[in-house]
Amino acid sequence: MYLKRWNRMLAGAGMAMVLAASMLQGCGGSGKQASQDGTKKEADSGKADETKEGADYGKLLEDMKEFTTKDGSVSIKLNKDWGEEDLGLDFWLGVQNAKGDEAVLVMQFPKAGTMQLADSMDSVKTLVNETCLVTEETAAEAPEIPGMTGVTASTCKANTDGVTVDGYLIYGETDYAYYALIYVADKIDDKQIEAMKASCASFVETPIEEEDNTTVEITDTVRWFNASYAILTEINGGDYNRFAGFAANDNMATVEQQSLSEWWEVTDRASADETLDWILTEGHRTGFAEDMKYLDGEGMGDVAADGRKEFLLGLLDITDEEAESYAGAYALYEEFGENAIDGWDYCRAMNLLSFYYLAGYYTETEALDKSLEIAQTIQPLFTSWDDLIASYLRGYQYWAEESSAERQAIYDDIKTRDDNPYAVDYNLTLEKTW
C-alpha cells in the first residue's frame, strides 16, 4: 500500500525540512541542497498541448468526489471510492484505492510562514526526488491546473519501501505555494493519466492567512535588534523586518520548542534563562580566549604559519581537520586579540531572545526589554555593523570549524536590498519604544 509505505517517510521528511529550513538554531549550517539527477528531462509547459487545450473532463469528474487537506487550503477531485491516508502534515493530501495499489499524493510547500518547507521549486524537486526515490523521468504532457503557473509533468519510476512503481509527476506553483503532485500505480496507461489530468482540472487552492500574535511596532530600535541576527533570519527563510522574524502563533511555538530542545537543550523558562546567562557571561568567547592563551604559552606564536598544523598535531591529540581549525583560530587571535569572536555570542544572545519569544518562554515585552538591555551592552563594543558582523563571522568560523564565506555573502547581499535592515544607524540611540 503505497501511501502507508510512504507515510512515515514523507511526514518525517516534511517535519525535518520545517526544522532545518525554518530554524537552524545552532547556526551551524546553511541548509545546502543536494544536487538533482543529471539525467532528468522535463518540459516547461504551463498548458497542455493545443490538441488537449480546453479538454472536457466533465464526465470523468462526475464519478469523482472532492478531497480536501486538513487545513482546507487545497481540494481536488479523485475517484469517489478512494480513501484518505493521514500523512502527518495538514497541508499535504494522500488518497488511495482500497487495495492500495493506486494513489495520489498532493504536496503543498507554502512560500512563507511558519510551515515553509522549501524556498524554491528546485528544493521541492530535491525533496520529492530523495523521498520518493524518483528515477527514469521523461517529459510528458502537462495538465492544466487552475491558478497554477509553470506546470511541468513527467512520467517516472518511484520507489516505496523497496517496491518500484510507475509515476506521473507534476510540478507547479501559485503565489501562495509550490506544488508537487504524483500519481502512482503498478502500471500507468494513457487512460489513467487522462483521469489524473481531469483531477488536476478540479484543483482549488484556498490560501490560509497565518495568525500572528506579534503586536510591537517596528521602530528603528526594533530594526536594530533584527539586524543583529538578520543573517540567520535570512538563512531560515524568515523576515528580518518583523520582530523575531516569524509570525508568533501556536504552530510556531511548537516548532520553536522542538528546535530549542534539539539545538540548545532549552525546554522551559528556567533552562532558557540559564542558557542566556551562559552565553552572556561565558559563551564561546571564553573558551576561545582560554584556548588561544594556552597555545600562546606553548609557543604557537613563534611557529611560522605553514608549520602550525604540524606543531599542533605534536602538541595535542587532535585530527588534521581540528589542527587546521585551531591554526585558523590562532590567526584570528593574532590579528584581533582575545575578543576576536565576542560578536558571535552577543548576536546569538539577541537571536535567542527571538526564539524564546516565538516558543512562548518569554512574553513579547520580556523579550523586547531584555533585547534592549543586551543591545545597549553590545553597541559600545563595536564601531559599526561591519565591525559587529565581522566578529560574529569569526565566531562562526571558530565554532563551526568551517569558512564563514557563505554567511559573509549573505550579509553583503542583504546590504544591497531596498529593505536592508543594516540601513538603521548602528550608533542609533537605543530606547524603549513599545
Side-chain angles (χ1 to χ4, degrees):
M1 302 188 60
Y2 303 143
L3 290 178
K4 287 188 180 298
R5 291 170 183 159
W6 270 336
N7 190 341
R8 184 180 301 176
M9 182 166 57
L10 288 166
M15 290 311 298
M17 286 288 284
V18 170
L19 296 178
S22 297
M23 286 292 127
L24 291 171
Q25 303 284 11
C27 308
S30 57
K32 299 179 181 67
Q33 297 293 340
S35 61
Q36 296 196 37
D37 189 312
T39 62
K40 182 173 180 180
K41 301 176 184 177
E42 279 190 302
D44 184 1
S45 71
K47 276 188 173 182
D49 186 271
E50 286 187 7
T51 59
K52 295 292 184 181
E53 187 175 347
D56 182 7
Y57 292 120
K59 291 184 179 180
L60 286 172
L61 290 172
E62 284 178 3
D63 290 329
M64 297 183 182
K65 74 174 182 179
E66 188 173 65
F67 292 87
T68 306
T69 56
K70 286 184 179 180
D71 70 352
S73 62
V74 171
S75 69
I76 190 170
K77 289 186 176 181
L78 295 162
N79 192 301
K80 63 184 179 182
D81 296 323
W82 288 14
E84 292 185 43
E85 180 76 21
D86 185 4
L87 297 176
L89 292 174
D90 290 349
F91 44 91
W92 284 14
L93 182 66
V95 184
Q96 65 184 356
N97 65 1
K99 188 177 179 182
D101 58 4
E102 282 186 272
V104 170
L105 177 63
V106 179
M107 292 174 275
Q108 180 195 83
F109 301 83
K111 293 182 176 180
T114 304
M115 305 305 285
Q116 184 185 5
L117 277 68
D119 60 4
S120 67
M121 185 58 78
D122 283 343
S123 58
V124 168
K125 292 177 180 179
T126 296
L127 177 61
V128 173
N129 285 350
E130 292 181 351
T131 303
C132 302
L133 301 180
V134 174
T135 58
E136 299 182 32
E137 279 194 77
T138 302
E141 184 179 74
E144 293 185 52
I145 305 180
M148 197 176 292
T149 61
V151 180
T152 65
S154 60
T155 57
C156 64
K157 296 291 185 181
N159 190 287
T160 64
D161 198 25
V163 178
T164 299
V165 295
D166 282 355
Y168 178 57
L169 178 59
I170 304 160
Y171 292 110
E173 65 179 290
T174 65
D175 290 341
Y176 178 68
Y178 302 106
Y179 286 92
L181 299 82
I182 184 168
Y183 166 69
V184 293
D186 285 343
K187 188 70 175 177
I188 293 179
D189 57 30
D190 290 344
K191 184 177 179 180
Q192 289 166 309
I193 288 179
E194 285 304 303
M196 183 60 189
K197 288 179 181 177
S199 293
C200 288
S202 73
F203 176 91
V204 176
E205 179 190 75
T206 307
I208 302 299
E209 186 173 343
E210 187 172 47
E211 180 184 12
D212 186 2
N213 297 318
T214 302
T215 64
V216 65
E217 180 185 355
I218 306 302
T219 62
D220 281 351
T221 294
V222 176
R223 289 189 180 92
W224 200 102
F225 299 167
N226 291 351
S228 69
Y229 53 89
I231 293 173
L232 189 62
T233 301
E234 175 73 8
I235 290 171
N236 289 341
D239 180 358
Y240 45 66
N241 286 307
R242 71 191 304 168
F243 178 58
F246 295 89
N249 54 43
D250 290 343
N251 282 340
M252 190 71 244
T254 298
V255 170
E256 193 52 65
Q257 288 167 16
Q258 292 172 336
S259 296
L260 281 167
S261 176
E262 177 183 355
W263 286 98
W264 291 91
E265 297 183 0
V266 167
T267 56
D268 52 21
R269 176 59 183 259
S271 55
D273 287 341
E274 182 181 354
T275 298
L276 185 63
D277 181 67
W278 169 80
I279 204 169
L280 290 173
T281 58
E282 297 181 44
H284 291 116
R285 64 192 183 280
T286 300
F288 172 84
E290 291 174 351
D291 287 348
M292 297 308 109
K293 286 179 180 178
Y294 168 76
L295 293 177
D296 208 27
E298 292 296 319
M300 181 82 155
D302 298 326
V303 179
D306 59 2
R308 287 176 176 175
K309 177 180 174 181
E310 292 304 318
F311 174 81
L312 287 163
L313 289 171
L315 179 66
L316 305 170
D317 183 18
I318 55 177
T319 65
D320 284 6
E321 291 76 13
E322 289 170 330
E324 290 175 358
S325 176
Y326 272 115
Y330 190 80
L332 296 177
Y333 170 72
E334 283 185 309
E335 184 173 358
F336 301 102
E338 64 182 57
N339 299 318
I341 72 165
D342 287 10
W344 166 250
D345 285 329
Y346 286 120
C347 288
R348 294 217 300 168
M350 296 291 287
N351 205 174
L352 269 178
L353 285 166
S354 74
F355 295 154
Y356 290 174
Y357 163 59
L358 294 172
Y361 297 146
Y362 276 42
T363 66
E364 184 178 73
T365 299
E366 286 174 329
L368 288 163
D369 286 349
K370 191 64 177 179
S371 294
L372 178 60
E373 177 186 326
I374 297 172
Q376 289 172 335
T377 298
I378 297 171
Q379 198 175 41
L381 299 178
F382 303 91
T383 61
S384 64
W385 286 119
D386 283 352
D387 190 26
L388 172 61
I389 299 304
S391 181
Y392 164 82
L393 293 172
R394 290 193 293 269
Y396 174 79
Q397 181 176 320
Y398 169 73
W399 176 80
E401 299 182 1
E402 66 179 28
S403 170
S404 61
E406 186 172 352
R407 291 179 183 229
Q408 178 70 60
I410 291 171
Y411 174 61
D412 292 340
D413 178 62
I414 290 174
K415 290 196 299 178
T416 68
R417 301 177 187 176
D418 292 340
D419 65 352
N420 169 26
Y422 301 106
V424 67
D425 183 7
Y426 177 81
N427 294 306
L428 169 78
T429 298
L430 298 168
E431 57 188 356
K432 185 165 181 172
T433 59
W434 49 90

